[in-house]
């Protein structure tokens, strides 16, 4: 590796000759950029951050102090294959965030979309796919092969098991965890426990009153009436299937491989879809 001195790159930073940085990229003191790393315009890499390639990053990303992006996956089967990490535009990786690149057992690439916020000490495992506008709060842990839909929220100290899907605008409350899929617009709290709809997120997203009311009814049929899951899904589709958010909700559940969690114990229904 070679040390590069420019107005934008601190004299103590180490930048690999194979790295390609846009002219205006700022690199702080003691940062390390190693291997085939591409960093787009407008990015800021703070001190002591570490970027390892193969890694491709778009424009206007912020990488905070001590963050580590693109290191090898924590996977016993990993054999030093040249897997990668791809990051879109406008993301914020705060202090000590870790994101690992993919494995050949997955798709070979961990992907992060646009405008996501990763708060301090949060972690993304190998082969994770993150959409756009997600908020991953301090110390949240996302295991390998997880898919995070657009605008979802993982609150502080949460954990998501490998291969789980989290739907759009879903929210996992603080200190919670999930081993099953979390459908769009759902709020979960505690361990594998659905507690309602993410109404705040829906309203902030601009969802119409009609859509929110339809989702309320869909939630009631699925989680409170005690129907068999196939019957509940068919009933919701028959009554509210023309509402786009309800159709998205139903499609997510029908394509679940891990199943979805039941509501809290004093509510009826337990919908494990295998």
């Amino acid at each position: 590796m070679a040390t590069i001195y420019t107005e934008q790159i601190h004299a103590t930073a180490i930048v690999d000759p194979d790295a390609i940085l846009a002219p205006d990229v700022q690199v702080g003191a003691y940062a390390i950029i190693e291997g085939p790393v591409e960093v787009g315009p407008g990015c800021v890499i703070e001190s002591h951050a570490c970027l390892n390639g193969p890694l491709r990053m778009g424009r206007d990303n912020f990488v905070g102090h001590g963050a580590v992006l693109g290191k090898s996956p924590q996977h016993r089967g990993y054999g030093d294959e040249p897997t990668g990490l791809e990051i879109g535009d406008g993301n914020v990786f705060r202090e000590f965030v870790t994101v690992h690149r993919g494995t050949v057992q997955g798709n070979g690439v961990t992907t992060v979309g646009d405008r996501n916020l990763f708060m301090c000490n949060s972690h993304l495992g190998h082969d994770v796919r993150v959409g756009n506008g997600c908020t991953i709060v301090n110390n949240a842990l996302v295991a390998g092969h997880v898919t995070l839909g657009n605008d979802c929220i993982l609150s502080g100290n949460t954990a998501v098991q490998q291969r789980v899907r989290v739907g759009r605008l879903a929210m996992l409350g603080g200190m919670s965890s999930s081993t099953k899929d979390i459908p769009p617009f759902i709020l979960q709290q505690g361990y594998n426990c659905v507690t309602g709809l993410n109404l705040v997120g829906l309203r902030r997203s601009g969802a119409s009153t009609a859509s929110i009311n339809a989702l309320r009814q869909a939630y009631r049929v699925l989680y409170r009436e005690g129907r068999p899951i196939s019957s509940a899904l068919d009933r919701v589709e028959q009554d509210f299937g023309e509402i786009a958010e309800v159709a998205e909700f139903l499609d997510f559940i029908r394509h679940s491989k891990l199943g979805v969690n039941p509501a809290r114990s004093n509510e009826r229904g337990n919908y494990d879809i295998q």
Side-chain angles (χ1 to χ4, degrees):
M1 293 185 290
T3 303
I4 298 176
Y5 305 93
T6 73
E7 294 181 358
Q8 301 295 325
I9 300 176
H10 195 277
T12 61
I14 300 175
V15 180
D16 196 298
D18 289 337
I20 301 173
L21 276 60
D24 64 343
V25 171
Q26 300 178 42
V27 182
Y30 301 103
I32 299 173
I33 299 177
E34 182 178 7
V37 174
E38 297 181 28
V39 181
C43 291
V44 175
I45 315 299
E46 283 201 322
S47 64
H48 297 276
C50 182
L51 276 61
N52 284 77
L55 187 161
R56 184 168 59 192
M57 179 183 293
R59 63 185 306 122
D60 300 323
N61 293 286
F62 175 88
V63 181
H65 176 90
V68 179
L69 309 182
K71 281 290 189 179
S72 59
Q74 296 178 131
H75 190 290
R76 289 185 180 274
Y78 179 70
D80 202 32
E81 298 91 354
T83 55
L85 168 61
E86 296 186 359
I87 298 170
D89 303 332
N91 297 286
V92 174
F93 302 89
R94 290 298 301 267
E95 296 87 338
F96 302 104
V97 168
T98 53
V99 182
H100 291 165
R101 62 180 185 264
T103 65
V104 294
Q105 290 82 4
N107 295 319
V109 180
T110 300
T111 59
V112 176
D114 303 330
R115 306 181 310 281
N116 299 289
L117 171 59
F118 302 92
M119 297 188 191
C120 300
N121 297 297
S122 56
H123 170 73
L124 295 183
H126 55 84
D127 303 293
V128 166
R129 293 179 293 170
V130 182
N132 304 319
C134 300
T135 302
I136 314 301
V137 183
N138 301 58
N139 303 307
L141 305 177
V142 180
H145 305 280
V146 167
T147 299
L148 302 181
N150 294 344
D151 301 305
C152 71
I153 299 175
L154 304 183
S155 301
N157 296 290
T158 55
V160 180
Q161 181 173 283
Q162 60 266 28
R163 303 185 187 279
V164 163
R165 297 182 303 145
V166 179
R168 182 170 72 92
L169 281 170
M171 180 175 180
L172 185 60
M175 306 290 290
S176 301
S177 59
S178 189
T179 65
K180 295 183 182 295
D181 291 344
I182 305 176
F185 322 119
I186 283 293
L187 173 63
Q188 282 194 195
Q189 293 179 307
Y191 175 71
N192 282 354
C193 183
V194 171
T195 57
L197 293 172
N198 180 17
L199 295 173
V200 172
L202 281 162
R203 292 181 180 122
R204 287 177 176 173
S205 74
S208 68
T209 300
S211 294
I212 292 174
N213 288 338
L215 285 169
R216 286 179 184 271
Q217 295 302 315
Y219 179 87
R220 179 182 57 79
V221 172
L222 283 160
Y223 289 100
R224 293 186 176 178
E225 291 189 352
R227 296 170 180 264
I229 184 62
S230 58
S231 172
L233 292 173
D234 290 344
R235 173 62 185 273
V236 171
E237 183 172 31
Q238 177 182 340
D239 291 348
F240 308 104
E242 76 281 2
I243 304 294
E245 289 85 352
V246 174
E248 179 181 351
F249 180 69
L250 295 174
D251 183 71
F252 183 98
I253 295 174
R254 283 174 168 152
H255 286 87
S256 175
K257 295 180 179 179
L258 296 179
V260 298
N261 291 302
R264 64 178 66 203
S265 59
N266 64 346
E267 294 181 357
R268 300 176 66 184
N270 188 336
Y271 301 134
D272 292 341
I273 308 169
Q274 303 295 340

